[in-house]
Amino acid sequence: MSLSEKDVFARLKENAFHVLGLRPTCTRIEVEREGQKLLAMLELGLSEAAHYDTPVGRMPRTAELVRAAMASLRDPATRLQHALWAQLPPGASASQAPAREEPPPWPEAPVRLGWRRRG
């Protein structure tokens, strides 16, 4: 299955972890606590809660988005999908993503692991 650019953009901008301002390693209690805090801040009209950062830019935060984010992170399968899409940190673009370096080769690994050389 291939995703269009529009689908990728939507998954990055509406990622539940980004909406709540949390990392994928957070606990369920942290999700609930942060969600309730953001809902209260939005209700009071506090400007700090009005926007959230994503890899594709700053987005407006609404109470509906916060509730949807909390609900989606309660489901383990949906949470996993959001966690995978949240690997790119907020404020980074795809071109700024850290490059994964290949580990250096270990030529003597077979011998050290007990394999015998032929010959």
Side-chain angles (χ1 to χ4, degrees), residues 24-95:
T25 55
C26 68
T27 65
R28 185 173 177 160
I29 292 172
E30 290 170 320
V31 169
E32 296 298 325
R33 188 177 299 140
E34 189 65 21
Q36 292 301 323
K37 181 179 96 174
L38 287 169
L39 288 171
M41 291 172 73
L42 288 167
E43 181 70 27
L44 294 172
L46 300 177
S47 61
E48 322 62 275
H51 294 88
Y52 63 98
D53 292 320
T54 72
V56 294
R58 196 164 170 84
M59 300 293 160
R61 182 186 284 133
T62 65
E64 293 77 25
L65 271 176
V66 172
R67 286 187 194 96
M70 291 170 64
S72 63
L73 294 181
R74 288 180 188 125
D75 175 45
T78 308
R79 181 183 172 119
L80 180 59
Q81 290 176 0
H82 283 278
L84 292 172
W85 281 97
Q87 295 304 309
L88 192 60
S93 67
S95 63

